[in-house]
Amino acid sequence: MTTVPLPLPTRRADLLAQLAQPRVYDLVVIGGGATGLGVALDAAARGFSVALIESHDFAKGTSSRATKLVHGGVRYLAQGNIALVREALHERTTLLHNAPHLAQPLAFVMPSYHCWESPFYGVGLKMYDALAGKAGLGATEFLGRERTLQCLPTARAEGLKGGVKYWDGQFDDARLALALARTAASRGALLVNYCAAKELVHEDGRVAGVVCEDTETGQRHTLRARCVVNATGVWVDALRQQDGEATGRSVKPIVAPSQGVHIVVDREFLPSSHALMVPKTADGRVLFAVPWLGKLILGTTDSPRHNIEYEPLPFHEEVAFILRESARYLSRAPTAQDIRSLWVGLRPLVKPQDDDGNHTKSLSREHTVLASKSGLVTVTGGKWTTYRAMAEDVLQKCFSSGLLDVRPGGVTVRLPLVGAPTGPVQHRMCDAQGWHSYGSEADAARQLPGADALLGAGITEAMVRFAARHEYARTVEDVLARRWRLLFLDAREAAALAPAVAALLQQETGADPQLDAFMALAAQYLHVPA
């Protein structure tokens, strides 16, 4: 086999040594989800010195719990938000181009059980195509009854009139987040997971840095910066409150979190490469049945949530709603006993207020970027599809607030992410995980010991070693939930593989792989609320 240069190492001792060096960064980002990682990459690509810290693992929270769709937002079109849809469609194309090994086009079918549904939704989807223009992934088609059943072989046939087929995108959210982190690192950024922001540093009433703590050792470091970005998602108000208290200002919360539940079952309930989409369920919400990595994701609902947790539990009513609505559209509907994994994502819905409590508007989409009088820049809201545009808006706020010198943007529009192959890509995301998700790094990963030593579920010893050496993995959860998505696909199988993964991680890192914590988490992902 030809020797392939290995990617950048992510040895934690080296990362912490860099963190301890006294220097002033142009930008320190707090939060390692899609938004924070996007900001770090954009800033590093423009040549700024950047450090990013994350209290847990990259994409531990909301950013690994999406419905796995890269989309323009058909719902927003119905609301008349043309600007948001147009921008999201543009960003959809950019994402598919920059990470073709992690994102792909996906066909959706809306089954019609009333004569008015196909023409009604079809006209809207034709407008969706028009807004996409050359960035479209495929033309919307009106389907007859038989063609609809060919695309959705287990759709309820009784009363079926036809359907509408349209195209959007699908991706692996956690692995895309990891690709953003590693691409930013390749551009000179320092990124450290399991490193929590403990307090902001203020000098003369201005934010001048952040004190962070290595959660594994308890050691603290002070990172000085010209600009600090608060990109902690549903948790942004905690840092904003701290900033306000330090400078004697009243700060009103801007986030009202909601949660979406996702149920994962076997593909036999919809054995198709097409996704099913119901635009309006019994109570007006949207229902998806999406093939992903060999399983089927059912969801999602949005329910207000008042307490914020890293591992939120689903409400009984949400699970019952998804199963009940699935039974209305599938000839054989899954039951609670068929659930392979059950997980919840928190979404930061924004109350658009600035730091003085005045009503304001987000820049041009569903996210908000604020700069406090002390110079803390906060970004929240939005969605995965527009992470790159959000990052550009954050940098623009840093410029307009006088925190950073202006540098030209657009540098990430055609910036391939780590692993992006240069040649044709065989999209297989609907089928299963495999070496193809490593893209151009597959040969390098195979060079590690254990490339043919299969642990199970397509995971080899070499993949675990690669995660530890080159992908920042520290715990069993890091490997089985985010480097590989097994916890999200089949929690019982993930638990079965966990001891072997823990032993390899212990060998590779010398750190506690937290096996017991993972086993408890796997049990939670199998628990259906009564």
Side-chain angles (χ1 to χ4, degrees):
M1 180 185 297
T2 303
T3 300
V4 179
L6 283 175
L8 286 176
T10 56
R11 187 170 177 267
R12 189 167 181 83
D14 296 338
L15 299 176
L16 294 176
Q18 291 183 57
L19 203 66
Q21 293 176 2
R23 64 178 298 187
V24 179
Y25 291 93
D26 291 321
L27 188 70
V28 167
V29 181
I30 304 172
T35 305
L37 293 168
V39 171
L41 175 55
D42 191 296
R46 298 193 204 201
F48 290 110
S49 58
V50 179
L52 179 147
I53 54 174
E54 162 57 44
S55 60
H56 293 71
D57 186 27
F58 303 126
K60 158 70 176 178
T62 305
S63 295
S64 62
R65 301 154 192 265
T67 315
K68 320 307 179 194
L69 302 181
V70 186
H71 61 102
V74 174
R75 285 176 292 174
Y76 307 123
L77 186 63
Q79 297 166 6
N81 198 335
I82 303 299
L84 174 62
V85 175
R86 181 182 286 113
E87 179 184 61
L89 287 169
H90 171 78
E91 292 301 320
R92 179 187 71 179
T93 302
T94 300
L95 196 158
L96 292 171
H97 178 271
N98 289 341
H101 57 311
L102 298 173
Q104 67 176 34
L106 178 66
F108 289 75
V109 174
M110 292 183 184
S112 302
Y113 291 91
H114 298 91
C115 293
W116 59 268
E117 288 179 311
S118 285
F120 179 79
Y121 292 118
V123 169
L125 288 167
K126 287 290 187 181
M127 186 182 300
Y128 196 58
D129 291 351
L131 287 172
K134 294 181 179 179
L137 303 178
T140 293
E141 301 175 53
F142 291 94
L143 308 178
R145 184 179 185 277
E146 294 306 315
R147 180 72 178 120
T148 300
L149 287 173
Q150 287 176 9
C151 295
L152 304 174
T154 53
R156 181 170 59 84
E158 182 184 356
L160 181 66
K161 309 296 184 185
V164 183
K165 177 180 175 179
Y166 73 101
W167 290 84
D168 250 324
Q170 182 182 60
F171 74 133
D172 187 330
D173 50 3
R175 285 201 67 84
L176 184 67
L178 186 64
L180 290 175
R182 297 178 61 221
T183 307
S186 74
R187 294 298 180 113
L190 172 63
L191 298 98
V192 185
N193 53 352
Y194 295 104
C195 189
K198 288 300 182 180
E199 59 183 89
L200 297 170
V201 176
H202 289 83
E203 292 180 357
D204 300 323
R206 302 287 294 178
V207 174
V210 60
V211 176
C212 60
E213 181 179 282
D214 174 14
T215 61
E216 294 185 7
T217 65
Q219 186 173 3
R220 292 198 171 193
H221 306 277
T222 298
L223 302 180
R224 301 182 60 79
R226 296 180 178 86
C227 180
V228 174
V229 172
N230 172 16
T232 53
V234 292
W235 293 273
V236 293
D237 285 327
L239 274 176
R240 293 179 64 249
Q241 187 65 39
Q242 186 186 124
D243 178 46
E245 291 172 355
T247 54
R249 291 178 296 107
S250 174
V251 174
K252 293 185 178 181
I254 61 172
V255 170
S258 72
Q259 74 173 26
V261 173
H262 303 79
I263 292 174
V264 179
V265 297
D266 289 335
R267 280 281 290 279
E268 65 188 55
F269 292 99
L270 184 61
S272 173
S273 59
H274 293 69
L276 182 152
M277 203 277 256
V278 179
K280 192 172 184 180
T281 57
D283 67 354
R285 287 181 285 185
V286 173
L287 178 73
F288 288 101
V290 180
W292 188 67
L293 299 178
K295 298 292 183 180
L296 185 70
I297 298 176
L298 302 173
T300 180
T301 62
D302 278 308
S303 301
R305 189 180 184 96
H306 303 294
N307 61 319
I308 302 174
E309 302 172 0
Y310 267 94
E311 289 296 344
L313 295 171
F315 302 134
H316 165 75
E317 313 85 71
E318 294 175 310
V319 176
F321 168 80
I322 294 173
L323 293 176
R324 184 173 62 251
E325 288 300 303
S326 298
R328 296 182 60 208
Y329 295 94
L330 297 176
S331 58
R332 180 190 162 215
T335 66
Q337 288 69 41
D338 297 307
I339 295 176
R340 299 295 187 184
S341 188
L342 176 62
W343 36 275
V344 177
L346 297 181
R347 180 186 179 193
L349 301 181
V350 179
K351 304 173 184 176
Q353 298 174 332
D354 63 21
D355 283 354
D356 297 314
N358 299 317
H359 190 272
T360 185
K361 292 183 178 179
S362 56
L363 292 173
S364 64
R365 58 194 68 86
E366 269 201 324
H367 70 268
T368 291
V369 184
L370 306 173
S372 72
K373 290 182 177 179
S374 65
L376 177 67
V377 175
T378 294
V379 54
T380 194
K383 59 181 181 178
W384 244 118
T385 305
T386 56
Y387 83 88
R388 196 203 63 81
M390 291 168 62
E392 288 194 335
D393 287 346
V394 171
L395 267 293
Q396 187 58 47
K397 176 63 75 172
C398 297
F399 300 152
S400 64
S401 301
L403 300 169
L404 294 175
D405 295 331
V406 177
R407 295 183 186 178
V411 293
T412 57
V413 174
R414 285 293 180 266
L415 177 60
L417 301 185
V418 162
T422 55
V425 180
Q426 182 180 3
H427 293 300
R428 293 161 52 194
M429 191 173 299
C430 287
D431 298 326
Q433 294 186 102
W435 287 108
H436 68 278
S437 66
Y438 288 86
S440 63
E441 295 184 315
D443 287 343
R446 285 193 186 97
Q447 289 183 6
L448 298 179
D452 298 320
L454 186 65
L455 299 176
I459 302 173
T460 68
E461 289 185 4
M463 293 171 178
V464 178
R465 296 187 193 281
F466 190 85
R469 298 182 189 185
H470 303 287
E471 295 181 330
Y472 299 91
R474 303 295 293 171
T475 72
V476 175
E477 182 189 338
D478 295 346
V479 174
L480 292 179
R482 288 174 291 277
R483 281 33 172 208
W484 285 85
R485 312 311 307 277
L486 191 57
L487 178 65
F488 286 78
L489 297 168
D490 192 323
R492 189 170 286 104
E493 190 172 8
L497 262 63
V501 171
L504 279 170
L505 278 178
Q506 179 77 45
Q507 183 185 114
E508 286 288 330
T509 68
D512 178 9
Q514 300 183 27
L515 176 60
D516 290 344
F518 180 79
M519 298 302 279
L521 185 61
Q524 178 178 317
Y525 276 52
L526 284 169
H527 176 70
V528 179

